[in-house]
Amino acid sequence: MAAVSATTRGGFLAWARQSIAVQHFVRRGITYIILTFAAVLFLTPLFWMISTSFKTPEKIFLFPPQLVPDPFTLRGYERVLSSPSFPFFLYLRNSLFYAVLSVIGIVLSCSLVGYSFACLRWPGRDAIFIVTLATMMIPFPVVMVPLYIVFKFLGVLNTYWPLIGPNFLGTAFFIFLMRQFFKTIPLDLTEAARVDGASYGAIYARIMMPLARPVVATTALFTFLYCWNDFLGPLIFLSDDKKYPLALGLALLRGQHRSEWDMMMAGSTIVSLPIIVLFFFTQKTFIQGITLTGIKG
């Protein structure tokens, strides 16, 4: 009787384990199907852009749509890179100038302010931090006109000062990101450095920043991505088309009566390529920087 009971119990446990394994397999399969469908859905515009960039103008608006270019042509890329009416490399230089200086400004200013909020004690620190976070609720269109008036009064319109200058004053989101990361660093490190006679500046430069490489990379990537694709800011503050970045320069290809769709898609593909490559090589550091900022409040 005991042997039968043990056999029955063993069979039930085996059936239960098998049932759990089947349920896990089914759930995992459904998850993969949903994620695959979402990936295809989100990648469709990117695929369409790349496919259109290799088409001839007369094949772009065929119905039913032609997914694979036939004939395959590089005409759009040749035109966008060599057209005298579209100075691609000038716009590229402007975009790099805008994005790189903005990255330097954001990383420098936000890391300093985040370090101050996380590691230094001074009167009103927490209240000012709350006010800083509150500014995240103010959308850019609300301050767009006041900013334009201020920069016009300062006489810096049609220059890159209105676009790059504010980045050296910090941004609330990245200040919060930096502060949360610095909170995860043990206080024993900074206290030991203070005992050894290190100043706050030395602690920031020699201890905090080397340890903050994940969040610095995340901040730099986000900032570069935003500035590289920024359209509204240059549209408001720049009036000379020779100072346009690529995102704004591509809009010139769309005219009132005729649009150069093959050039637009080729240019958009070229503009998107650095971002894809940059994220591909920094995704591990990027994900690490995002996850570590929420460990300690």
Side-chain angles (χ1 to χ4, degrees), residues 85 87 90-91 94 158 160 238-245 248-249 252:
S85 62
L90 176 62
Y91 295 152
N94 294 338
N158 198 31
Y160 276 92
L238 299 178
S239 56
D240 185 359
D241 58 359
K242 293 182 179 179
K243 297 179 181 179
Y244 285 177
L248 186 55
L252 299 178

Side-chain angles (χ1 to χ4, degrees), residues 232-258:
L232 184 58
L235 179 65
I236 295 172
F237 299 118
L238 299 178
S239 56
D240 185 359
D241 58 359
K242 293 182 179 179
K243 297 179 181 179
Y244 285 177
L246 270 172
L248 186 55
L250 286 173
L252 299 178
L253 296 175
R254 185 171 183 176
Q256 184 175 359
H257 303 290
R258 184 173 182 271

Side-chain angles (χ1 to χ4, degrees), residues 270-288:
I270 295 173
V271 171
S272 303
L273 187 60
I275 300 301
I276 297 173
V277 173
L278 184 64
F279 182 78
F280 178 78
F281 285 105
T282 60
Q283 58 179 325
K284 184 177 179 180
T285 306
F286 169 75
I287 295 171
Q288 183 183 4

